Structure formats: structure tokens, C-alpha cells
Amino acid sequence: MKHYGQACAIARALDVVGERWSLLLVRELTFGPRRYRDLATGLPGIPSNVLAARLKDLQAAGVVTRRTLPAPTDVTVYELTDAGRALQPALKELLGWGVRYGPEPSPGDAAQPAWPLLGAAGRPTALPAGQTCELRVGPEFFYLGSDAGKLTVRRGPAPDGDAVVTMSAGTFYSLLTGQTTVTGAVRHATVDGEPEIARRALEPLAAAGAKPAPSPASQPPGI
């Protein structure tokens, strides 16, 4: 890895996670452990040798660790360490900055449901503790729960969930961008279980990826 050689905490942080793809790899591990091939799928465009190199560097830096799941699975997965999880506030700030100031996506840009869900995770939720919802968007499954009144999101199904919501990618992205309401999203989705639990679980997703309106101070004169 390249180093800036500067006695500055920002420079030293970038010595660890400033290489191209590194923070996006951390993003992919935010909602739980992933296999190598899952990481490759979640990072479209990354060369295999670069993925292997970034994983090696992040493991050496103590940001990522590798383990083998117990039998009968016997699958090797990568997951964040405490140091890796400590990057979550920085990722959230970058996400908010990107929504507000970043360029609009191009028509051919890749999109995956987990990416905008990062903006919903941690938002206030009326979902009672202990009640969960499984969200299915295409082949992706997500566990939605609550912790101290904040939405928690993990990859995978919600065993014994109180509700299961299956919606199209179009409905999902319309909800996240504020083009449709929770009521409208539920109307166009399939809900198994408790409809009220489904609505409460989906409320933090509403407009989570919408571009915020400009503040009056940033508007041109006369607007």
C-alpha cells in the first residue's frame, strides 16, 4: 500500500482505506459477513486480483478478518473487525455528502438494493424491539429490526419474522427516493404476516436516498 508519510490522522487513515475500492469493500461488509464471490458480485468492475489485494491489505491493517463457518457449511467468509465497524459513521457521512453534492447516477451505472439501505439503517423507527421484518427485493433478502429505536439492517432472511415484504426493484427505489410513500409501496408489494409491522419497518426507508432540498442560503437571489 502507498503511504502519504504525513503525521496527520486523516493521512494515516487514508494510508489504510484510501486505496481505490477499499471503502467500497467495507461498505459491502456493513450488513454482515460475505463470501469472496459475493464481494466480487457486490463490487461490479473490480478485477479479481485487485479484490484479493485489497482484502489482504485490509486484513493486515486489522479492518477485515476471515473465518470459516462451522460445518456443515464450511464456507470461508470475510467480515469487519471492531476497527472496520468503527468506519460506519464515516461511511454514513460520505453517503450523505454524496447524495447532497455528488453527481447524478448515469443510466448505465450499477445499482444494488443494499447500497441505498445504508442511508436507512440507523434512522428512527417505530418498530418495537423484538419484532422483525424480512424485506425481499429480487434475489436479495434483508433482515429489518430495531435497536434502541433505530432501524437495524442485516443481509439474509429474518427467521420467524413478523412480516415478509416482497417488492419489485422499481417500487423499492421509488420508496427510497421519495417518489412513492410507504402506503403506496405496500400497496404494490406482497406482504405476508402483520401489515402494521411491515409498514413500521419500511417507514425509515421512505425518502432515505432522496436529494435534500437546498437551504435558502444556497439558493440564487430571487428564488
Side-chain angles (χ1 to χ4, degrees), residues 114-180:
W115 301 344
L117 276 178
L118 287 168
R123 283 182 129 192
T125 178
L127 189 65
Q131 294 187 313
T132 61
C133 174
E134 182 177 303
L135 174 62
R136 301 176 180 178
V137 183
E140 298 265 27
F141 286 40
F142 298 95
Y143 168 106
L144 306 180
S146 66
D147 180 20
K150 304 289 186 180
L151 182 71
T152 58
V153 182
R154 295 202 301 267
R155 288 185 183 274
D160 303 318
D162 300 281
V164 177
V165 180
T166 304
M167 64 173 60
S168 68
T171 299
F172 175 74
Y173 289 113
S174 292
L175 174 63
L176 283 155
T177 56
Q179 297 175 30
T180 191

Side-chain angles (χ1 to χ4, degrees), residues 66-77:
R66 182 177 68 176
R67 67 184 173 95
T68 301
L69 298 178
T73 306
D74 292 329
V75 171
T76 298
V77 295

